[in-house]
Amino acid sequence: MKKLTVPRDEEMSAHNRSLLDSLKKFLGFRPNLYTYMARNETALGDYLAFQNRKSTMSAKEREVINLAVSQVNHCAYCLAAHTAIAHSLGFTAEQILDLRAGRAPFDDKLDALAHFVQETTLRRGHPTPETVDALFVAGYTEANLVDILIVIGDKTISNYLHGVTQVPVDFPAAPELQGAEA
């Protein structure tokens, strides 16, 4: 297989370098997965716009989705990145492991969300009617449902990108999840 590598500055456009420099100011470094997207003239900007769109979901809820999807898709890169982000949002190490396993015993509403996301991802967009109903009973709306599915799609893109490219993970590794269904 062809070795896929993160592009150097001279291999990308000035526009993509500018976007990556903005990320560096925010994060302190240029994440390899985003840098790889700079191999395409429009993908990085499109992805950042998609990822940063206005949403009905809170930052914590988006991390629940990111962690559950990344676990199902076995994405070491995204699990590492979103474990760090989830910690910064106040989730404990134990809660993060629970979220990755598709549950949140510490919060009923997040539990319904984590279960819905895990099942939707595992079943490729076909959760059971009971799981959909449980999401609504927990307090989520149809507007939230649309945003949940958009975040699942966003995370699936980055999970697949890492799965194919295997760019080096430049976040601290996420711990292994023992006994996970996903």
Side-chain angles (χ1 to χ4, degrees), residues 26-38:
F26 181 71
L27 296 171
F29 68 103
R30 289 177 166 183
N32 284 333
L33 198 62
Y34 289 95
T35 304
Y36 188 84
M37 286 185 199

Side-chain angles (χ1 to χ4, degrees), residues 26 37 47 108 133 161 181:
F26 181 71
M37 286 185 199
Y47 186 74
D108 290 341
D133 287 345
L161 185 64
E181 293 176 25

Side-chain angles (χ1 to χ4, degrees), residues 142-162:
E142 289 181 57
N144 297 142
L145 176 66
V146 172
D147 278 335
I148 292 164
L149 295 170
I150 287 172
V151 177
I152 290 171
D154 157 18
K155 198 45 43 202
T156 300
I157 291 167
S158 59
N159 291 172
Y160 284 17
L161 185 64
H162 186 258

Side-chain angles (χ1 to χ4, degrees), residues 22-96:
S22 293
L23 275 174
K24 184 176 181 179
K25 285 178 187 168
F26 181 71
L27 296 171
F29 68 103
R30 289 177 166 183
N32 284 333
L33 198 62
Y34 289 95
T35 304
Y36 188 84
M37 286 185 199
R39 289 215 173 269
N40 178 289
E41 181 53 36
T42 59
L44 178 60
D46 291 345
Y47 186 74
L48 289 170
F50 184 54
Q51 192 174 56
N52 294 312
R53 63 180 280 285
K54 190 172 179 150
S55 175
T56 62
M57 306 305 290
S58 71
K60 282 187 133 182
E61 289 168 322
R62 287 191 306 271
E63 285 315 306
V64 169
I65 300 166
N66 291 331
L67 289 164
V69 171
S70 296
Q71 184 63 49
V72 170
N73 290 328
H74 305 287
C75 182
Y77 193 98
C78 294
L79 285 170
H82 291 288
T83 293
I85 294 167
H87 275 298
S88 75
L89 292 173
F91 286 114
T92 67
E94 183 178 341
Q95 289 172 333
I96 291 168

Side-chain angles (χ1 to χ4, degrees), residues 109-180:
K109 189 172 183 182
L110 293 180
D111 191 54
L113 175 62
H115 179 72
F116 173 84
V117 170
Q118 181 191 54
E119 184 173 305
T120 299
T121 306
L122 282 168
R123 295 175 50 104
R124 297 180 183 184
H126 299 279
T128 64
E130 295 80 16
T131 299
V132 175
D133 287 345
L135 186 73
F136 292 128
V137 167
Y140 289 99
T141 66
E142 289 181 57
N144 297 142
L145 176 66
V146 172
D147 278 335
I148 292 164
L149 295 170
I150 287 172
V151 177
I152 290 171
D154 157 18
K155 198 45 43 202
T156 300
I157 291 167
S158 59
N159 291 172
Y160 284 17
L161 185 64
H162 186 258
V164 171
T165 65
Q166 293 296 301
V167 297
V169 177
D170 46 8
F171 288 88
E176 290 294 318
L177 184 61
Q178 303 302 317

